[in-house]
Amino acid sequence: MLDQGSPSSRTTGRVIHWAARYDALVWLLTLGRERRFREKLIEQARLEAGETVLDAGCGTGSLAIVAKHRVGPSGSVSGIDPSPEMIARATVKARRAGVEVDFRTGVVEALQFPDAQFDVVLSTLMMHHLPRAARESCAREMSRVLKPGGRALVVDFGARPSGKKSFIGHIHRRGHVKLDAVVGVLTDAGLNVVESGAVGTRNLYFALATAS
């Protein structure tokens, strides 16, 4: 667990410490097509060479590594996660992939970066781990660290139309978060949601927003 002594290290969301099993779970949820899934998200975020990117709640670093390949040597990618185990695994994966990503332990409610640093902030499969107040803080922090005209992409699990819990809902306490709830917190944080809808995989949706 993180040191709970300082505000920047505290989170009210769920922290996952089983990094290796998390990778196995993502592989299962994407039916073995994780690389294709990650690349689709990079396309939705409209990443370009030379951009600066933050993966907020980066987990074991898979998306951040794909993002680094896309932005190239002239771009930069940072990833934060409250779980030291996730960051440790992400660091090893980046080294093996031959890319440089700034992975660090941190929480999305209090990002360790200055204002207007990033062109793009990514948040994938993370919002459902946060209670409402933490989601609001996260959205405000995403807005703060984005450059004017920068983009935020949020991808997460939505509820099934039947109201029944999805597979992921039986694993996590907070198995999903409604799309309109995410759109609402992004809008309240001063971001302009320009596109949203289904990703097409396991009840996933996305919301793409821009900073003023």
Side-chain angles (χ1 to χ4, degrees):
M1 294 290 291
L2 292 175
D3 175 13
Q4 298 297 307
S6 66
S8 63
S9 68
R10 290 197 298 265
T11 179
T12 55
R14 185 181 182 194
V15 181
I16 297 176
H17 297 281
W18 30 277
R21 283 186 289 156
Y22 181 82
D23 276 343
L25 174 61
V26 172
W27 184 91
L28 178 63
L29 292 171
T30 59
L31 304 178
R33 296 190 290 269
E34 182 185 355
R35 177 76 184 192
R36 182 177 176 184
F37 169 65
R38 302 294 185 191
E39 289 175 347
K40 182 175 182 179
L41 300 187
I42 293 301
E43 292 292 338
Q44 287 179 316
R46 305 172 186 174
L47 255 60
E48 298 179 0
E51 291 191 312
T52 54
V53 181
L54 171 64
D55 188 357
C58 64
T60 62
S62 297
L63 183 61
I65 291 169
V66 176
K68 177 56 180 173
H69 283 297
R70 176 61 62 92
V71 301
S74 61
S76 66
V77 177
S78 299
I80 65 133
D81 197 276
S83 169
E85 293 85 354
M86 292 287 193
I87 293 300
R89 187 170 177 86
T91 301
V92 170
K93 287 167 69 172
R95 187 183 308 122
R96 289 175 177 171
V99 297
E100 183 178 348
V101 179
D102 174 23
F103 287 117
R104 60 179 77 177
T105 305
V107 300
V108 295
E109 299 98 317
L111 296 174
Q112 308 164 17
F113 304 97
D115 297 355
Q117 178 168 336
F118 297 101
D119 296 299
V120 180
V121 176
L122 306 170
S123 165
T124 61
L125 312 186
M126 183 272 291
M127 285 285 187
H128 71 276
H129 290 298
L130 303 176
R132 180 175 177 178
R135 289 199 298 268
E136 292 169 349
S137 296
C138 174
R140 287 193 297 269
E141 283 292 274
M142 291 169 68
S143 179
R144 179 183 65 79
V145 301
L146 275 173
K147 298 176 182 178
R151 306 178 302 284
L153 178 70
V154 176
V155 177
D156 218 311
F157 295 96
R160 291 174 180 267
S162 64
K164 295 181 179 179
K165 282 189 176 182
S166 63
F167 173 66
I168 196 72
H170 292 287
I171 296 174
H172 299 305
R173 287 181 303 163
R174 303 177 180 95
H176 64 263
V177 57
K178 293 181 179 179
L179 174 57
D180 58 358
V182 169
V183 169
V185 296
L186 293 176
T187 301
D188 290 345
L191 296 168
N192 177 36
V193 177
V194 295
E195 188 177 354
S196 65
V199 173
T201 303
R202 297 279 179 144
N203 298 326
L204 290 178
Y205 65 78
F206 75 96
L208 180 68
T210 59
S212 302

